[in-house]
Amino acid sequence: MARRAMCLLPQWSSRVFSVELDGAPFYFSIQERHRGEEVPRVFSEVQNNDRCYSLLVCGSDRIRRAKFYAELREKLLRDLPPECDVSPMLSFLPNVKDSLVKGYFLKGSSSSSERLLRDLVRHDPVLVCSYLRKDGGQMWTQHLWPHADNQTMDMSKEYYVVPSEAPEHHPSTLNIINSDVFYSFEDAYEVIKKCGDIIPEATSVMELLPSRAEARSKPDFPVIVIEGLDATGKTTLTESLRDSLGATLLRSPPQCMSPLRARFDQEPPLIRRAFYALGNYITAEQVGQEGMKAPVIVDRFWHSTAAYAIATAVSGPVCNLPAEGSEVYRWPSDLFQPSLVVLLTLDPEERKRRLRDRGQGKTEEEQELDHNQLFRLKVEEAYRRIAGPACVTVDASPSADQVLQQVRLLIRGKCHL
């Protein structure tokens, strides 16, 4: 823990903190003198007898840090008194890439909570701060706790907590690249490789990977990717296109990864996203082989992997997403680009009806789409902003045959099939 915490401290007073309340981030910063600023909203509703603490996960190994962050939430919810609120928290330097540190904010905690935190700071990679009420609640101060590995640090300093403007870009965007979304085979491969000693199934993933990660020459035949949320008609359309075009149908993630998906879906985003990113490269290897013999239809590809990851990482409304043209939406340089990407869209109520009719089990993210309209809007907008190639949107509400004919026209115009 010591090395990463040491990196944070020289710029500690420049850092901004955000606490997520009701799905939206609220920001505060710290300063050495109080100049009459209002109490940040995070603290304004704290009851007189309540205490507040923050925990930032600071381990130097990002694989173990990601796993510890996920496990810490379960530990806090299990071991803290029920009246203690646990909210996601971030600390970052505005507009500085890779400066983001994740953690949790505790409100309404008690003396038993403090014992738990003291045990954590003794043994685990966390930086703990307490927040104390002053002047009848008109001011709050932040105090860093000493850590067993950092006895030489001066932790006695007191900072005043003050409101902070929302940053130009949502803080999560600082760490999206090669953390939530991977832009090369090597970056995703390195994450799964380092998981070998803590996730036995990582070895099985490695055995499935193509031997070479270079961007291959374009297949002789066109490659058409069909994207969209569940129940928009992707399966029906992809199978109809396969039959009508005499094409090969592939899926991403590929079938060979299916036995491993349930295991990696339990992992924190860093590991889970690396797993799905590698699935695109396995599918790309299959496309390279099959595309020499016939046209290829792909049921989901990199657009899905990136869109879901971006929408999950960025909390709050759609306007918090990285701006159109951001490097977050760029296509990986070592992944082949399809000839055409079709995004099927559907009225939310019609999509829910179709899902009910299917009655199939859904992933956690698909369940989130069902009851969180905001998440669905962010996924769809992220789809639209990904470039290289961009998606062509098709309304999937008409009959399956009408949708097929519309997509066939697109393919004829773009791919001359």
Side-chain angles (χ1 to χ4, degrees), residues 304-335:
S304 284
T305 308
Y308 276 84
I310 294 166
T312 303
V314 178
S315 62
V318 174
C319 63
N320 282 352
L321 290 174
E324 198 159 354
S326 164
E327 60 180 338
V328 165
Y329 302 115
R330 76 176 189 269
W331 193 265
S333 59
D334 60 354
L335 189 65

Side-chain angles (χ1 to χ4, degrees), residues 53 55 72-87 104-117 120:
Y53 301 92
L55 298 83
L72 178 60
R73 180 178 183 275
E74 300 304 315
K75 180 179 178 62
L76 295 173
L77 293 177
R78 183 183 66 243
D79 296 345
L80 287 171
E83 64 271 14
C84 180
D85 290 333
V86 179
S87 303
Y104 298 100
F105 186 80
L106 311 185
K107 186 169 69 173
S109 44
S110 62
S111 54
S112 61
S113 309
E114 190 157 316
R115 285 194 295 272
L116 171 65
L117 299 184
L120 281 171

Side-chain angles (χ1 to χ4, degrees), residues 264-385:
F264 281 89
D265 280 343
Q266 299 171 15
E267 294 300 325
L270 174 69
I271 299 169
R272 186 166 72 247
R273 303 304 182 191
F275 170 80
Y276 282 105
L278 291 176
N280 290 322
Y281 287 94
I282 296 173
T283 297
E285 181 84 355
Q286 297 172 346
V287 168
Q289 296 165 0
E290 299 299 328
M292 297 301 172
K293 301 176 282 188
V296 178
I297 308 298
V298 186
D299 185 339
R300 284 188 168 170
F301 198 48
W302 193 80
H303 283 78
S304 284
T305 308
Y308 276 84
I310 294 166
T312 303
V314 178
S315 62
V318 174
C319 63
N320 282 352
L321 290 174
E324 198 159 354
S326 164
E327 60 180 338
V328 165
Y329 302 115
R330 76 176 189 269
W331 193 265
S333 59
D334 60 354
L335 189 65
F336 88 93
Q337 294 188 11
S339 315
L340 174 67
V341 181
V342 174
L343 173 63
L344 298 179
T345 61
L346 194 60
D347 174 77
E349 292 306 313
E350 172 62 14
R351 198 181 74 85
K352 283 186 180 180
R353 185 191 67 75
R354 292 186 185 183
L355 280 169
R356 283 196 300 270
D357 291 347
R358 278 170 28 168
Q360 294 177 343
K362 293 171 282 187
T363 65
E364 183 179 332
E365 284 173 341
E366 283 296 339
Q367 291 172 356
E368 177 75 2
L369 283 172
D370 282 355
H371 72 262
N372 188 336
Q373 181 188 16
L374 188 55
F375 181 61
R376 176 182 59 77
L377 291 172
K378 287 192 292 187
V379 171
E380 291 180 337
E381 185 58 33
Y383 265 127
R384 294 186 183 100
R385 292 184 184 184

